[in-house]
Amino acid sequence: MNKKSIRVDIACRALRQAIIEQALPPGTKLPEDELGARFCMSRTLVRAALAHLQAEGLVDAPPRRTAITAKPTLDEAKEVFEVRRTLERQVVGLVVERWRPEFGAELEGHVREEAAARQAGDSRVSIRLAGEFHTRLGEMSGNRLLRRYLGEVVSRCSLILALYGRPHSADCAISEHREIVAALRGRNADAAVAVMDRHLGAVERRALLDQGRDSHFDLGTVLSRYATAADNGNPSKIARLPKRKLRAAK
């Protein structure tokens, strides 16, 4: 991967993280000049990054107009959850089939991280970790396409929660995730799918309340925080990024 590709990848990861953590609410304008300045990128590279995020459903970037973080309708949001339920059922079945003892230890460790974030009162990290629990299951399924599609759908659900949902309930997510781990350990696919369905039903009810929320924030401050974390490879903010600082790609 050349420097330009790496720079685009870093911008994508940083913006994706900011959207998932609800630091950039749905409908936020993403001016190319400001993104270029914050991520040390040309307009061409900014457009490439926005195109990647648009393909994931996180950004709307119409031609000759300023891109914005996606703002799905309620009908679109319901469709996303329909797809997510189908994908997660398949994931659970494959994880049960390929279950290894280390999966349980990894998932339990992740749930402990969620609990620590809740105790620290860090709602943004708590939101991110709640989604990552499911993407970890996708990785354990052993199916790369399924993992990719699930990751995109989980990200879209985080955006939907930011637009329509009530404030994130970490306690609910943690207890529900513990139930899922216990069901997977039992190696009973039907029981594990039933637990997952109940969990996703609860997530959907929390998400689709038809009450958008206004958020006041400074775009430059948010972009600076996530761009700096990306360049420094800060794992608490941006997951799996290169750990060396890169010079600007022209």
Side-chain angles (χ1 to χ4, degrees), residues 99-116:
W99 183 261
R100 299 199 301 267
E102 54 266 34
F103 287 176
E106 181 179 341
L107 292 171
E108 287 170 353
H110 187 88
V111 173
R112 285 194 295 272
E113 288 184 47
E114 293 184 62

Side-chain angles (χ1 to χ4, degrees), residues 119-147:
Q119 291 172 356
D122 196 334
S123 61
R124 297 198 190 283
V125 171
S126 181
I127 289 166
R128 170 170 57 81
L129 291 173
E132 287 180 0
F133 175 87
H134 293 270
T135 57
R136 286 198 178 199
L137 288 176
E139 293 170 358
M140 292 173 181
S141 75
N143 186 307
R144 288 178 293 179
L145 277 178
L146 190 55
R147 177 186 65 191

Side-chain angles (χ1 to χ4, degrees), residues 62-96:
R64 296 181 295 279
R65 292 177 57 188
T66 301
I68 63 171
T69 52
K71 198 171 183 179
T73 66
L74 270 175
D75 285 341
E76 290 169 339
K78 290 174 182 176
E79 290 176 355
V80 169
F81 273 97
E82 287 175 355
V83 172
R84 181 171 177 179
R85 282 194 296 273
T86 299
L87 292 176
E88 297 250 30
R89 288 168 185 158
Q90 185 66 25
V91 163
V92 165
L94 288 174
V95 173
V96 168

Side-chain angles (χ1 to χ4, degrees), residues 20-218:
I20 289 172
E21 293 187 358
Q22 300 181 9
L24 293 177
T28 300
K29 289 185 177 181
L30 302 171
E32 291 179 1
D33 288 344
E34 187 151 11
L35 293 178
R38 298 296 175 181
F39 292 103
C40 302
M41 293 164 57
S42 67
R43 281 196 170 199
T44 299
L45 296 184
V46 169
R47 288 168 188 160
L50 291 173
H52 281 299
L53 295 173
Q54 184 175 29
E56 296 177 19
L58 298 179
V59 165
D60 289 331
R64 296 181 295 279
R65 292 177 57 188
T66 301
I68 63 171
T69 52
K71 198 171 183 179
T73 66
L74 270 175
D75 285 341
E76 290 169 339
K78 290 174 182 176
E79 290 176 355
V80 169
F81 273 97
E82 287 175 355
V83 172
R84 181 171 177 179
R85 282 194 296 273
T86 299
L87 292 176
E88 297 250 30
R89 288 168 185 158
Q90 185 66 25
V91 163
V92 165
L94 288 174
V95 173
V96 168
E97 182 181 321
R98 299 169 181 176
W99 183 261
R100 299 199 301 267
E102 54 266 34
F103 287 176
E106 181 179 341
L107 292 171
E108 287 170 353
H110 187 88
V111 173
R112 285 194 295 272
E113 288 184 47
E114 293 184 62
R118 178 188 61 79
Q119 291 172 356
D122 196 334
S123 61
R124 297 198 190 283
V125 171
S126 181
I127 289 166
R128 170 170 57 81
L129 291 173
E132 287 180 0
F133 175 87
H134 293 270
T135 57
R136 286 198 178 199
L137 288 176
E139 293 170 358
M140 292 173 181
S141 75
N143 186 307
R144 288 178 293 179
L145 277 178
L146 190 55
R147 177 186 65 191
R148 173 187 164 189
Y149 296 147
L150 179 62
E152 291 183 7
V153 169
V154 169
S155 295
R156 293 192 193 199
C157 286
S158 295
L159 186 146
I160 290 164
L161 280 162
L163 180 58
Y164 295 111
R166 70 186 65 171
H168 176 66
S169 175
D171 288 330
C172 292
I174 291 167
S175 63
E176 291 161 7
H177 288 172
R178 284 177 176 148
E179 288 183 37
I180 291 169
V181 176
L184 291 171
R185 280 190 178 280
R187 303 292 299 277
N188 185 319
D190 290 339
V193 168
V195 172
M196 178 63 79
D197 277 347
R198 287 199 300 273
H199 170 55
L200 292 180
V203 173
E204 184 172 5
R205 287 191 295 274
R206 290 195 288 269
L208 303 183
L209 297 179
D210 197 12
Q211 54 174 31
R213 297 194 300 273
D214 294 327
S215 298
H216 301 285
F217 68 101
D218 180 72

